[in-house]
């Protein structure tokens, strides 16, 4: 419980979330592979590192609950659980299934709808930014102000 509540652990996690958001941008723009197993090694390694860290962070937070059932009452823990399990599904389980089904990960993966769904699954990890916004309410105020200003500009130009 001490580690899960320690400010340095929270700050490190927020920093990793920021790096993950930047990495999602890089991954979306520069990764030629539709699936993680068809991506270049640098993309695979970084995804594995993020998945390991977020899994570690989830385990630390889960073990911090005196009664493990109390984790179901904490909205942010449930939200993070959903994100971590989605990331584990995409990074480890889907890769293992595709490797088992198609061998080297390239043959027989012509179904474009499955590949598009995998790409959307990667982008769903941006939901982790909600945790960053909770930690920095000033950033949320700035974003709301920018959205309100954008509506006015669009109305004036449109």
């Amino acid at each position: 419980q001490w580690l899960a509540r320690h400010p340095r652990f929270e700050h490190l996690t927020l920093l990793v979330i920021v790096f993950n958001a930047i990495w999602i941008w890089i991954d979306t723009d520069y990764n030629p592979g539709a699936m993680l197993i068809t991506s270049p090694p640098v993309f695979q390694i970084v995804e594995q590192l993020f998945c390991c860290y977020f899994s570690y962070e989830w385990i630390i937070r889960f073990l911090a609950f005196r009664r493990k059932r109390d984790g179901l009452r904490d909205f942010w823990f449930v939200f993070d659980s959903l994100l971590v399990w989605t990331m584990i599904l995409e990074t480890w389980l889907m890769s293992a299934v595709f490797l088992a089904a198609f061998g080297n990960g390239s043959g027989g993966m012509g179904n474009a709808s499955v590949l598009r769904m995998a790409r959307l699954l990667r982008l769903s990890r941006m939901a982790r930014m909600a945790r960053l916004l909770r930690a920095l309410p000033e950033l949320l105020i700035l974003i709301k102000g920018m959205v309100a200003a954008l509506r006015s500009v669009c109305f004036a130009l449109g």
Side-chain angles (χ1 to χ4, degrees), residues 1-20:
Q1 196 173 32
W2 171 82
L3 181 60
R5 295 183 186 272
H6 198 278
R8 285 189 182 164
F9 184 71
E10 290 180 17
H11 292 139
L12 176 65
T13 300
L14 292 175
L15 186 66
V16 172
I17 290 171
V18 169
F19 285 146
N20 186 249

PDB file of all heavy atoms in Angstrom, residues 1-20:
ATOM      1  N   GLN A   1       0.827  -1.187   0.000  1.00  0.00           N
ATOM      2  CA  GLN A   1       0.000   0.000   0.000  1.00  0.00           C
ATOM      3  C   GLN A   1       0.874   1.254   0.000  1.00  0.00           C
ATOM      4  O   GLN A   1       0.516   2.246  -0.611  1.00  0.00           O
ATOM      5  CB  GLN A   1      -0.919  -0.025   1.209  1.00  0.00           C
ATOM      6  CG  GLN A   1      -2.044   0.950   1.086  1.00  0.00           C
ATOM      7  CD  GLN A   1      -3.024   0.793   2.215  1.00  0.00           C
ATOM      8  OE1 GLN A   1      -2.650   0.448   3.321  1.00  0.00           O
ATOM      9  NE2 GLN A   1      -4.275   1.047   1.923  1.00  0.00           N
ATOM     10  N   TRP A   2       2.017   1.181   0.628  1.00  0.00           N
ATOM     11  CA  TRP A   2       2.904   2.336   0.673  1.00  0.00           C
ATOM     12  C   TRP A   2       3.348   2.734  -0.733  1.00  0.00           C
ATOM     13  O   TRP A   2       3.325   3.907  -1.083  1.00  0.00           O
ATOM     14  CB  TRP A   2       4.113   1.995   1.549  1.00  0.00           C
ATOM     15  CG  TRP A   2       5.184   3.031   1.497  1.00  0.00           C
ATOM     16  CD1 TRP A   2       5.223   4.190   2.194  1.00  0.00           C
ATOM     17  CD2 TRP A   2       6.359   3.024   0.685  1.00  0.00           C
ATOM     18  NE1 TRP A   2       6.352   4.910   1.869  1.00  0.00           N
ATOM     19  CE2 TRP A   2       7.072   4.205   0.942  1.00  0.00           C
ATOM     20  CE3 TRP A   2       6.878   2.130  -0.235  1.00  0.00           C
ATOM     21  CZ2 TRP A   2       8.269   4.507   0.316  1.00  0.00           C
ATOM     22  CZ3 TRP A   2       8.076   2.431  -0.856  1.00  0.00           C
ATOM     23  CH2 TRP A   2       8.752   3.618  -0.576  1.00  0.00           C
ATOM     24  N   LEU A   3       3.737   1.750  -1.541  1.00  0.00           N
ATOM     25  CA  LEU A   3       4.216   2.038  -2.890  1.00  0.00           C
ATOM     26  C   LEU A   3       3.098   2.561  -3.783  1.00  0.00           C
ATOM     27  O   LEU A   3       3.300   3.509  -4.553  1.00  0.00           O
ATOM     28  CB  LEU A   3       4.840   0.778  -3.510  1.00  0.00           C
ATOM     29  CG  LEU A   3       5.398   0.928  -4.921  1.00  0.00           C
ATOM     30  CD1 LEU A   3       6.492   1.982  -4.953  1.00  0.00           C
ATOM     31  CD2 LEU A   3       5.927  -0.406  -5.406  1.00  0.00           C
ATOM     32  N   ALA A   4       1.919   1.986  -3.672  1.00  0.00           N
ATOM     33  CA  ALA A   4       0.804   2.398  -4.529  1.00  0.00           C
ATOM     34  C   ALA A   4       0.390   3.844  -4.269  1.00  0.00           C
ATOM     35  O   ALA A   4      -0.081   4.524  -5.180  1.00  0.00           O
ATOM     36  CB  ALA A   4      -0.385   1.465  -4.317  1.00  0.00           C
ATOM     37  N   ARG A   5       0.575   4.331  -3.052  1.00  0.00           N
ATOM     38  CA  ARG A   5       0.168   5.697  -2.708  1.00  0.00           C
ATOM     39  C   ARG A   5       1.330   6.696  -2.714  1.00  0.00           C
ATOM     40  O   ARG A   5       1.121   7.878  -2.493  1.00  0.00           O
ATOM     41  CB  ARG A   5      -0.488   5.707  -1.337  1.00  0.00           C
ATOM     42  CG  ARG A   5      -1.772   4.931  -1.284  1.00  0.00           C
ATOM     43  CD  ARG A   5      -2.403   5.045   0.089  1.00  0.00           C
ATOM     44  NE  ARG A   5      -3.564   4.206   0.208  1.00  0.00           N
ATOM     45  CZ  ARG A   5      -4.783   4.584  -0.127  1.00  0.00           C
ATOM     46  NH1 ARG A   5      -4.986   5.771  -0.623  1.00  0.00           N
ATOM     47  NH2 ARG A   5      -5.798   3.762   0.024  1.00  0.00           N
ATOM     48  N   HIS A   6       2.519   6.224  -2.972  1.00  0.00           N
ATOM     49  CA  HIS A   6       3.682   7.105  -2.933  1.00  0.00           C
ATOM     50  C   HIS A   6       3.631   8.097  -4.099  1.00  0.00           C
ATOM     51  O   HIS A   6       3.352   7.716  -5.241  1.00  0.00           O
ATOM     52  CB  HIS A   6       4.964   6.277  -3.002  1.00  0.00           C
ATOM     53  CG  HIS A   6       6.163   7.039  -2.542  1.00  0.00           C
ATOM     54  ND1 HIS A   6       6.842   7.906  -3.361  1.00  0.00           N
ATOM     55  CD2 HIS A   6       6.791   7.065  -1.346  1.00  0.00           C
ATOM     56  CE1 HIS A   6       7.851   8.439  -2.691  1.00  0.00           C
ATOM     57  NE2 HIS A   6       7.840   7.941  -1.464  1.00  0.00           N
ATOM     58  N   PRO A   7       3.874   9.381  -3.826  1.00  0.00           N
ATOM     59  CA  PRO A   7       3.799  10.404  -4.888  1.00  0.00           C
ATOM     60  C   PRO A   7       4.760  10.140  -6.052  1.00  0.00           C
ATOM     61  O   PRO A   7       4.412  10.406  -7.202  1.00  0.00           O
ATOM     62  CB  PRO A   7       4.166  11.704  -4.173  1.00  0.00           C
ATOM     63  CG  PRO A   7       3.896  11.449  -2.730  1.00  0.00           C
ATOM     64  CD  PRO A   7       4.106   9.985  -2.515  1.00  0.00           C
ATOM     65  N   ARG A   8       5.928   9.600  -5.770  1.00  0.00           N
ATOM     66  CA  ARG A   8       6.872   9.327  -6.872  1.00  0.00           C
ATOM     67  C   ARG A   8       6.338   8.249  -7.802  1.00  0.00           C
ATOM     68  O   ARG A   8       6.528   8.311  -9.018  1.00  0.00           O
ATOM     69  CB  ARG A   8       8.237   8.927  -6.325  1.00  0.00           C
ATOM     70  CG  ARG A   8       8.996  10.096  -5.780  1.00  0.00           C
ATOM     71  CD  ARG A   8      10.405   9.723  -5.440  1.00  0.00           C
ATOM     72  NE  ARG A   8      11.090  10.873  -4.874  1.00  0.00           N
ATOM     73  CZ  ARG A   8      12.214  10.807  -4.216  1.00  0.00           C
ATOM     74  NH1 ARG A   8      12.804   9.648  -4.036  1.00  0.00           N
ATOM     75  NH2 ARG A   8      12.769  11.894  -3.733  1.00  0.00           N
ATOM     76  N   PHE A   9       5.689   7.245  -7.236  1.00  0.00           N
ATOM     77  CA  PHE A   9       5.093   6.189  -8.060  1.00  0.00           C
ATOM     78  C   PHE A   9       3.981   6.774  -8.928  1.00  0.00           C
ATOM     79  O   PHE A   9       3.880   6.453 -10.115  1.00  0.00           O
ATOM     80  CB  PHE A   9       4.572   5.063  -7.169  1.00  0.00           C
ATOM     81  CG  PHE A   9       4.017   3.897  -7.932  1.00  0.00           C
ATOM     82  CD1 PHE A   9       4.858   3.049  -8.643  1.00  0.00           C
ATOM     83  CD2 PHE A   9       2.655   3.642  -7.939  1.00  0.00           C
ATOM     84  CE1 PHE A   9       4.348   1.975  -9.346  1.00  0.00           C
ATOM     85  CE2 PHE A   9       2.141   2.577  -8.636  1.00  0.00           C
ATOM     86  CZ  PHE A   9       2.988   1.732  -9.346  1.00  0.00           C
ATOM     87  N   GLU A  10       3.159   7.643  -8.351  1.00  0.00           N
ATOM     88  CA  GLU A  10       2.088   8.286  -9.119  1.00  0.00           C
ATOM     89  C   GLU A  10       2.668   9.177 -10.210  1.00  0.00           C
ATOM     90  O   GLU A  10       2.182   9.175 -11.343  1.00  0.00           O
ATOM     91  CB  GLU A  10       1.192   9.092  -8.196  1.00  0.00           C
ATOM     92  CG  GLU A  10       0.340   8.244  -7.281  1.00  0.00           C
ATOM     93  CD  GLU A  10      -0.550   9.080  -6.380  1.00  0.00           C
ATOM     94  OE1 GLU A  10      -0.758  10.276  -6.673  1.00  0.00           O
ATOM     95  OE2 GLU A  10      -1.040   8.524  -5.390  1.00  0.00           O
ATOM     96  N   HIS A  11       3.713   9.939  -9.886  1.00  0.00           N
ATOM     97  CA  HIS A  11       4.327  10.819 -10.888  1.00  0.00           C
ATOM     98  C   HIS A  11       4.984  10.008 -12.005  1.00  0.00           C
ATOM     99  O   HIS A  11       4.896  10.390 -13.172  1.00  0.00           O
ATOM    100  CB  HIS A  11       5.336  11.760 -10.236  1.00  0.00           C
ATOM    101  CG  HIS A  11       4.692  12.773  -9.344  1.00  0.00           C
ATOM    102  ND1 HIS A  11       5.239  13.127  -8.140  1.00  0.00           N
ATOM    103  CD2 HIS A  11       3.551  13.493  -9.463  1.00  0.00           C
ATOM    104  CE1 HIS A  11       4.453  14.023  -7.551  1.00  0.00           C
ATOM    105  NE2 HIS A  11       3.430  14.258  -8.342  1.00  0.00           N
ATOM    106  N   LEU A  12       5.627   8.914 -11.635  1.00  0.00           N
ATOM    107  CA  LEU A  12       6.239   8.054 -12.648  1.00  0.00           C
ATOM    108  C   LEU A  12       5.173   7.481 -13.576  1.00  0.00           C
ATOM    109  O   LEU A  12       5.347   7.453 -14.795  1.00  0.00           O
ATOM    110  CB  LEU A  12       7.033   6.925 -11.986  1.00  0.00           C
ATOM    111  CG  LEU A  12       7.652   5.909 -12.947  1.00  0.00           C
ATOM    112  CD1 LEU A  12       8.708   6.565 -13.833  1.00  0.00           C
ATOM    113  CD2 LEU A  12       8.243   4.735 -12.170  1.00  0.00           C
ATOM    114  N   THR A  13       4.065   7.061 -12.999  1.00  0.00           N
ATOM    115  CA  THR A  13       2.979   6.515 -13.810  1.00  0.00           C
ATOM    116  C   THR A  13       2.405   7.566 -14.749  1.00  0.00           C
ATOM    117  O   THR A  13       2.143   7.288 -15.916  1.00  0.00           O
ATOM    118  CB  THR A  13       1.883   5.930 -12.905  1.00  0.00           C
ATOM    119  OG1 THR A  13       2.456   4.887 -12.107  1.00  0.00           O
ATOM    120  CG2 THR A  13       0.733   5.371 -13.715  1.00  0.00           C
ATOM    121  N   LEU A  14       2.225   8.792 -14.257  1.00  0.00           N
ATOM    122  CA  LEU A  14       1.732   9.863 -15.125  1.00  0.00           C
ATOM    123  C   LEU A  14       2.725  10.166 -16.249  1.00  0.00           C
ATOM    124  O   LEU A  14       2.328  10.425 -17.390  1.00  0.00           O
ATOM    125  CB  LEU A  14       1.441  11.122 -14.308  1.00  0.00           C
ATOM    126  CG  LEU A  14       0.259  11.020 -13.348  1.00  0.00           C
ATOM    127  CD1 LEU A  14       0.143  12.287 -12.519  1.00  0.00           C
ATOM    128  CD2 LEU A  14      -1.031  10.753 -14.095  1.00  0.00           C
ATOM    129  N   LEU A  15       4.008  10.112 -15.938  1.00  0.00           N
ATOM    130  CA  LEU A  15       5.033  10.324 -16.954  1.00  0.00           C
ATOM    131  C   LEU A  15       4.980   9.219 -18.011  1.00  0.00           C
ATOM    132  O   LEU A  15       5.079   9.489 -19.210  1.00  0.00           O
ATOM    133  CB  LEU A  15       6.414  10.386 -16.296  1.00  0.00           C
ATOM    134  CG  LEU A  15       7.578  10.748 -17.199  1.00  0.00           C
ATOM    135  CD1 LEU A  15       7.439  12.188 -17.697  1.00  0.00           C
ATOM    136  CD2 LEU A  15       8.886  10.587 -16.447  1.00  0.00           C
ATOM    137  N   VAL A  16       4.802   7.986 -17.579  1.00  0.00           N
ATOM    138  CA  VAL A  16       4.691   6.869 -18.522  1.00  0.00           C
ATOM    139  C   VAL A  16       3.438   7.028 -19.376  1.00  0.00           C
ATOM    140  O   VAL A  16       3.453   6.733 -20.577  1.00  0.00           O
ATOM    141  CB  VAL A  16       4.711   5.512 -17.779  1.00  0.00           C
ATOM    142  CG1 VAL A  16       4.396   4.359 -18.716  1.00  0.00           C
ATOM    143  CG2 VAL A  16       6.057   5.295 -17.118  1.00  0.00           C
ATOM    144  N   ILE A  17       2.343   7.530 -18.799  1.00  0.00           N
ATOM    145  CA  ILE A  17       1.121   7.767 -19.569  1.00  0.00           C
ATOM    146  C   ILE A  17       1.374   8.816 -20.649  1.00  0.00           C
ATOM    147  O   ILE A  17       0.931   8.668 -21.793  1.00  0.00           O
ATOM    148  CB  ILE A  17      -0.038   8.176 -18.638  1.00  0.00           C
ATOM    149  CG1 ILE A  17      -0.477   6.994 -17.797  1.00  0.00           C
ATOM    150  CG2 ILE A  17      -1.215   8.739 -19.439  1.00  0.00           C
ATOM    151  CD1 ILE A  17      -1.457   7.345 -16.691  1.00  0.00           C
ATOM    152  N   VAL A  18       2.101   9.886 -20.313  1.00  0.00           N
ATOM    153  CA  VAL A  18       2.428  10.915 -21.300  1.00  0.00           C
ATOM    154  C   VAL A  18       3.288  10.312 -22.413  1.00  0.00           C
ATOM    155  O   VAL A  18       3.023  10.529 -23.604  1.00  0.00           O
ATOM    156  CB  VAL A  18       3.141  12.116 -20.635  1.00  0.00           C
ATOM    157  CG1 VAL A  18       3.726  13.049 -21.670  1.00  0.00           C
ATOM    158  CG2 VAL A  18       2.169  12.862 -19.734  1.00  0.00           C
ATOM    159  N   PHE A  19       4.314   9.538 -22.037  1.00  0.00           N
ATOM    160  CA  PHE A  19       5.158   8.894 -23.049  1.00  0.00           C
ATOM    161  C   PHE A  19       4.337   7.923 -23.891  1.00  0.00           C
ATOM    162  O   PHE A  19       4.558   7.807 -25.094  1.00  0.00           O
ATOM    163  CB  PHE A  19       6.339   8.168 -22.407  1.00  0.00           C
ATOM    164  CG  PHE A  19       7.425   9.080 -21.929  1.00  0.00           C
ATOM    165  CD1 PHE A  19       8.147   8.765 -20.788  1.00  0.00           C
ATOM    166  CD2 PHE A  19       7.745  10.245 -22.597  1.00  0.00           C
ATOM    167  CE1 PHE A  19       9.166   9.599 -20.340  1.00  0.00           C
ATOM    168  CE2 PHE A  19       8.753  11.090 -22.153  1.00  0.00           C
ATOM    169  CZ  PHE A  19       9.462  10.762 -21.025  1.00  0.00           C
ATOM    170  N   ASN A  20       3.386   7.234 -23.270  1.00  0.00           N
ATOM    171  CA  ASN A  20       2.536   6.313 -24.015  1.00  0.00           C
ATOM    172  C   ASN A  20       1.669   7.058 -25.016  1.00  0.00           C
ATOM    173  O   ASN A  20       1.477   6.599 -26.140  1.00  0.00           O
ATOM    174  CB  ASN A  20       1.680   5.491 -23.050  1.00  0.00           C
ATOM    175  CG  ASN A  20       0.894   4.419 -23.758  1.00  0.00           C
ATOM    176  OD1 ASN A  20      -0.328   4.499 -23.840  1.00  0.00           O
ATOM    177  ND2 ASN A  20       1.582   3.416 -24.280  1.00  0.00           N
TER     178      ASN A  20
END
